[in-house]
Amino acid sequence: MERDEKDISRARTDDSLGAERAGADMSIDGAAANERRLFDDLIERDRYSADARLLRYRRSADRVLAYERGEHPPADDGIALERLVADGTKQAERETTDAMLARERHHADRRSDALRGRIDDDRAERLAQRRDTDEHLVAERKDADTSAAALDRSEDVLAMVAHDLRSPLTVIMANSSILAEGTAEDSTREAAEDINRAAIRMGRLLTDLLDVVRIEAETFQLAKERVDAGALLAEVRHIYGPLFAKRGLSLHIDFPATPVIVVVDHDRVVQMVSNLLGNAMKFTPSGGVVDLYVEHGTTDLELVVRDTGSGIHPDDMPHIFERFYKRDRDARRGLGLGLYICKNIAEAHGGHISVQSELGQGATFRVFLPSA
């Protein structure tokens, strides 16, 4: 009876220990849980081995006692003492095993707590960094939105001002032309011509500013049509021939021998060539030469403008196609928009513009325009 009660108590202890171990295992995550399971497996193996040894010892003792009982009088007190000693040994071994298990579990819990603490610290640090990043991004987005809104407003104002100024400039140009043609006094005619030239120049600047606004707003559009390159060059010569002659410059235009038909925006190409010729005229001294010709393939067109002017400084070469960039700060030489607009006209056609220059040796601009 006493043995059955001990077995029942031992079973309850095992169940309690198993429940405690299961509860502890559920509270440990990651590497600590794996380590505990491995240690528990080792403890169970050791306990099973100890129980097997004790069982073999008890069976051997029972056989000896049974043999002695056949030759000697019963010795129940001795058997009980032997069994009590065996049970005490087994209990001592189990207590030792349980103590080792508790100690290892305590160490595993400490390591698990330390690991969990590091994980929590890392998680908190990542959350703090994420909050800082989000706040920084929100601030940057707010600044960008504010800057974009301010830019949009400034471009809208610029577009409205440029558009509204064109009407009075048209009146000034028309009346100054009438005065220049209808007066017999040289002084009055010269004054009217100066007014007309100034109004034309202002009109050109306003047109450039409007084009910049369209480019930045991505509303810059082309109206392509079939154009004869030779007729286009003739139109340019009609406009710029007298201006070059007046400045003592030679404008050489090489017309193609046969008609070259391309599909481009006529007005934008004339504007681009005019900007390049005006640029060459400004930086080529009197007596210089400016060449204009075309090189063409089956469907493509390349416009070439070459001058014998002062050339472009190497430091300026990477920037000449930038908006508002000027080689010098002379306000009389425009706003630095001509080459920027030329670049965007070429790119709007699907082409590109390039320049070659040596300081003091002039410059050559090449504009490639695919027809299709």
Side-chain angles (χ1 to χ4, degrees):
M1 176 68 68
E2 181 180 0
R3 180 179 177 182
D4 292 339
E5 290 179 356
K6 289 182 179 181
D7 290 339
I8 293 172
S9 176
R10 186 179 303 117
R12 290 175 180 176
T13 302
D14 291 341
D15 293 340
S16 176
L17 181 60
E20 179 183 354
R21 184 177 301 132
D25 289 343
M26 292 177 63
S27 64
I28 298 177
D29 54 0
N34 292 332
E35 181 180 357
R36 176 171 297 170
R37 283 194 297 270
L38 179 61
F39 179 76
D40 289 346
D41 291 340
L42 294 175
I43 294 298
E44 287 297 329
R45 186 185 65 184
D46 292 341
R47 177 175 291 170
Y48 177 79
S49 178
D51 289 343
R53 289 196 301 271
L54 287 174
L55 181 61
R56 288 196 300 271
Y57 175 78
R58 179 175 294 168
R59 287 175 178 174
S60 177
D62 289 341
R63 287 195 299 270
V64 172
L65 290 174
Y67 176 77
E68 291 179 351
R69 190 179 296 117
E71 298 180 358
H72 304 283
D76 293 338
D77 293 340
I79 295 173
L81 181 61
E82 292 284 346
R83 184 163 294 170
L84 181 62
V85 171
D87 291 341
T89 302
K90 183 176 181 181
Q91 182 66 27
E93 288 186 357
R94 178 166 293 169
E95 290 176 356
T96 301
T97 302
D98 291 342
M100 292 175 59
L101 176 61
R103 185 170 58 255
E104 291 297 329
R105 181 174 295 155
H106 177 69
H107 292 329
D109 289 341
R110 292 183 59 184
R111 289 193 295 270
S112 178
D113 292 339
L115 178 61
R116 186 179 295 110
R118 289 195 298 271
I119 293 174
D120 292 340
D121 292 341
D122 292 341
R123 184 181 295 113
E125 183 177 358
R126 287 196 299 271
L127 290 175
Q129 291 176 351
R130 183 176 299 168
R131 285 194 297 269
D132 294 340
T133 302
D134 291 341
E135 292 174 359
H136 183 66
L137 289 175
V138 170
E140 285 189 349
R141 185 175 298 132
K142 184 178 180 181
D143 294 339
D145 292 341
T146 302
S147 300
L151 181 60
D152 291 339
R153 288 193 297 271
S154 64
E155 289 179 349
D156 291 341
V157 171
L158 179 61
M160 287 187 295
V161 170
H163 183 271
D164 291 342
L165 286 177
R166 297 180 72 174
S167 295
L169 278 176
T170 301
V171 176
I172 293 173
M173 286 188 287
N175 290 332
S176 61
S177 297
I178 294 174
L179 286 176
E181 294 174 358
T183 184
E185 297 181 3
D186 293 339
S187 59
T188 302
R189 184 174 59 256
E190 291 176 358
E193 290 175 350
D194 289 341
I195 293 173
N196 186 261
R197 283 192 295 269
I200 292 174
R201 182 170 177 272
M202 289 183 64
R204 187 183 305 113
L205 292 176
L206 290 176
T207 299
D208 289 346
L209 288 173
L210 285 172
D211 284 339
V212 170
V213 171
R214 295 188 187 102
I215 291 170
E216 297 299 322
E218 298 183 354
T219 59
F220 190 79
Q221 297 179 351
L222 301 178
K224 291 185 178 182
E225 57 182 326
R226 290 171 59 85
V227 175
D228 183 354
L232 187 146
L233 294 181
E235 183 179 346
V236 171
R237 183 178 63 177
H238 176 73
I239 298 173
Y240 275 90
L243 297 177
F244 272 76
K246 187 175 182 180
R247 292 178 62 90
L249 299 173
S250 297
L251 176 60
H252 294 166
I253 299 179
D254 186 9
F255 292 90
T258 58
V260 178
I261 305 299
V262 291
V263 181
V264 294
D265 187 321
H266 171 273
D267 294 340
R268 290 299 184 183
V269 173
V270 170
Q271 178 186 4
M272 179 172 54
V273 175
S274 298
N275 285 346
L276 294 176
L277 290 178
N279 209 52
M281 188 167 56
K282 284 188 294 186
F283 297 105
T284 302
S286 179
V289 178
V290 176
D291 295 318
L292 171 62
Y293 58 93
V294 297
E295 296 178 353
H296 60 89
T298 304
T299 59
D300 301 328
L301 179 70
E302 187 171 14
L303 294 165
V304 182
V305 177
R306 178 185 295 118
D307 65 64
T308 59
S310 58
I312 303 173
H313 195 281
D315 294 340
D316 296 327
M317 289 288 286
H319 308 289
I320 61 173
F321 294 110
E322 295 177 1
R323 184 180 59 170
F324 297 120
Y325 183 81
K326 296 196 298 183
R327 293 176 57 189
D328 54 50
R329 299 303 173 187
D330 188 352
R332 295 173 298 175
R333 293 197 168 184
L335 299 176
L337 295 176
L339 293 178
Y340 173 75
I341 294 174
C342 288
K343 173 179 176 291
N344 282 275
I345 291 175
E347 291 179 352
H349 280 85
H352 59 270
I353 184 171
S354 63
V355 61
Q356 295 175 327
S357 178
E358 292 184 11
L359 195 60
Q361 301 297 321
T364 300
F365 288 87
R366 294 180 175 272
V367 181
F368 175 76
L369 300 175
S371 176

